Amino acid sequence: MPSLMQPHAHIALRLPSESLKVVELVPNSTISIGKFGSFPSNLLLGRPYHLTFEIIDREEGKAHSNLRIVPTSELHSDILAEASSGANYISEGREIIDGGDGVEYELVGENGEVLMRSNREIIDDPSRQKLTMEEIELLKKEGAGGGKDIIALLMQSHTALDQKTAFSLAKYTLRKAKKYVKRFTVLPVDIPLLAHYLLSEKEAIRTMELRGESLALMGSWANIHYGGDSSTHSAESLAGRVGVGRWLVVDDTGGLVIAALAERMGILYPAEGDGETNASLLSLSQDTSTEPAKEANGELASQDSPSSSQPAHCNRSLAMSATSNTLTLIHANAQPNLSLLKYFHYDTSVRDTNSSHPFHTHLKTISWLQLLSPHEDTGYAETEVVPNEVLQTWKGGKRGTYFKKRRRWERIKSVVDETRAGGFDGLVVASAMNPVTIFQHTIPLLRGAAQVVVYSPHIEPLTELADLYSIPRRTAFATDPPASVPCEDFPLNPTLLLAPAIHTVKAKPWQCLPGRTHPIMTGKGGAEGYIFHATRVFPAEGKVEARGKHKRRKVLKEQGDNGIVGSGNETPGVGFEPILVMEDL
């Protein structure tokens, strides 16, 4: 993942209300965050992530607002002040009274006595706030110190502020800060953040209500890892190798599962530039204003304009040409739905153009028609071969179209033949299709000991799938094997998967306060999310007879002249020949 914010990168802005806003960092544009204001995008280019900025109101004669980097000491000043005041309060020998419900209340009278504070008699009356909405709107238009002055005036104008407990006062202050403070924090768009953003801010049904913890569990059970560099090996040398990192994926979440798996494989982000590239981002332009670079309480960001330097030319690589550390996506449409990969600098609309993204070579796509009946697909049919003598007589545009069709046919044929040959290291499914119909065509493509993982928002499809691979069904299949599979009693071959199991995981947020520890009651619900896991095995050929583990011992038998065999406890005498016999117990 890049360490600095780069042009055309997607970033997440965490607002004071704890909501997220994902935007594309387009140079020479304006980023708007609603009621908090707007600012030029060039102010963020080349800066590191996880910084908190404050929008400074536009001054007279200026065309844009500026940003101020909020220092850490200012961010945590309220917490440090509360801790310091609490220490001073205890050091003075004053006592803190417990209200009996685990919450500490503190109120000191004029004579120094400690009184009990309770919010039982407090009535939430809007008339206690003397500051009107017209005055608040006027303060917002005037700027009022980035919202901090408005909060101070609101607290001064509240007539019942002295009746609040320390806990209720902190909640009141925090609620006003979320509403008026013009601050935001820049975060990188990674898999956990994107999953949370899609689940809370967007339509979760489009991604099957996948959570970050479910994606992590899927990648762990599927044994997703870096499979090695295919540039140092040829396709022939990797043909017989086991575990070169080839996974089969059925993803109907718009590319969220593909992105989660690719992050574990090290192919999600393009190669990060060297120090010169990062330095060029910091010097994209010169500041056109004359403001100082720093203020007394933080650093002032200056607007930059993009430079005219062109990106360096990179070597051309064939699409879908990697032989290891690859993901093969099976889709049901003419083109796969990978719209979520735009958050990771990958555009699916430029397949045939030059691309430096690892997905260009390591992500392979194939339709169900190409997998099951490739000869019925028009893309699999070879285009007409034109001799070089005829090509020389064609115009450049016609000749380029011919070579483009030839490259497309070679790519489709290579991916289809490689997929149908099988030998994949695992199968990951997150689809609304019936998993039984998916397994009928994908399980035979897996190698031995390959891991199979299926995600479903609900448990019913997975319980049916686990029953098809249960021990009783496997025993019935071995006792009376059917003539062909699939059939009515056996939709799937139960001997191909071993140890089926269903897992679930859901991290629920809790409020952790003394006497008030409970789950967040306003949290968003949704599907629980279940994961099916099993291991691919090959059934033994022929009849298998289990004998168990035997223990051997030596038995001494004595045979005399009269043919009498001793019990093995007698001492051998004259005319007896000891015979050692190995007997199984």
Side-chain angles (χ1 to χ4, degrees), residues 58-133:
R58 183 177 57 184
E59 300 179 359
E60 295 183 3
K62 302 297 181 181
H64 56 81
S65 302
N66 281 323
L67 296 180
R68 182 180 68 90
I69 300 178
V70 183
T72 307
S73 58
E74 184 177 344
L75 287 175
H76 304 287
S77 59
D78 296 337
I79 301 176
L80 296 176
E82 290 179 3
S84 176
S85 62
N88 295 335
Y89 185 78
I90 296 175
S91 63
E92 293 175 2
R94 296 173 178 173
E95 182 183 2
I96 297 178
I97 294 182
D98 192 348
D101 56 352
V103 181
E104 295 174 346
Y105 302 92
E106 55 185 20
L107 182 62
V108 181
E110 297 179 355
N111 300 328
E113 70 275 10
V114 180
L115 306 177
M116 172 67 70
R117 174 180 291 187
S118 174
N119 58 0
R120 180 179 300 177
E121 304 298 333
I122 295 179
I123 301 175
D124 191 8
D125 188 1
S127 62
R128 297 190 174 190
Q129 178 56 253
K130 301 302 181 181
L131 203 62
T132 62
M133 289 300 300

Side-chain angles (χ1 to χ4, degrees), residues 166-303:
F167 179 73
S168 61
L169 181 60
K171 287 178 61 178
Y172 179 82
T173 307
L174 181 62
R175 187 167 62 251
K176 298 305 178 183
K178 290 181 178 181
K179 188 174 182 180
Y180 296 110
V181 174
K182 299 180 180 180
R183 291 180 180 178
F184 64 91
T185 304
V186 183
L187 303 174
V189 178
D190 52 9
I191 299 300
L193 186 141
L194 181 60
H196 175 72
Y197 172 73
L198 296 174
L199 191 66
S200 59
E201 306 290 342
K202 297 295 183 179
E203 298 182 13
I205 193 64
R206 293 181 178 269
T207 57
M208 301 179 66
E209 302 183 74
L210 259 173
R211 305 175 184 271
E213 53 268 22
S214 298
L215 288 170
L217 188 62
M218 291 172 63
S220 177
W221 279 117
N223 193 25
I224 305 297
H225 59 276
Y226 176 68
D229 187 7
S230 60
S231 61
T232 58
H233 303 278
S234 61
E236 293 77 9
S237 62
L238 293 174
R241 287 183 54 184
V242 175
V244 295
R246 298 171 58 240
W247 281 273
L248 201 61
V249 185
V250 181
D251 182 12
D252 289 349
T253 63
L256 182 60
V257 175
I258 288 288
L261 303 183
E263 186 180 34
R264 287 174 168 263
M265 300 169 62
I267 58 176
L268 180 60
Y269 303 99
E272 188 174 358
D274 52 8
E276 297 179 358
T277 304
N278 295 333
S280 64
L281 291 174
L282 291 172
S283 59
L284 284 174
S285 73
Q286 300 296 330
D287 186 16
T288 57
S289 60
T290 58
E291 293 104 19
K294 293 185 179 181
E295 289 187 352
N297 54 352
E299 183 180 354
L300 184 64
S302 60
Q303 182 185 12

Side-chain angles (χ1 to χ4, degrees), residues 426-438:
L427 170 66
V428 180
V429 179
S431 173
M433 298 174 58
N434 188 357
V436 176
T437 59
I438 296 177

Side-chain angles (χ1 to χ4, degrees), residues 427 429 431-443 454-456 460-462 464-465 468-469 492 532:
L427 170 66
V429 179
S431 173
M433 298 174 58
N434 188 357
V436 176
T437 59
I438 296 177
F439 277 21
Q440 290 175 352
H441 307 288
T442 55
I443 293 299
V454 183
Y455 169 81
S456 176
E460 287 78 13
L462 301 186
E464 178 184 357
L465 194 62
L468 295 177
Y469 291 101
L492 297 171
F532 171 88

Side-chain angles (χ1 to χ4, degrees), residues 19 23 31 88 163 229 279 306 389 398 403 431 448 516 520 530 544 560:
S19 61
V23 297
I31 299 177
N88 295 335
Q163 300 179 10
D229 187 7
E389 295 79 8
K398 185 177 181 181
F403 285 118
S431 173
R516 292 183 174 92
I520 300 297
Y530 298 89
V544 179

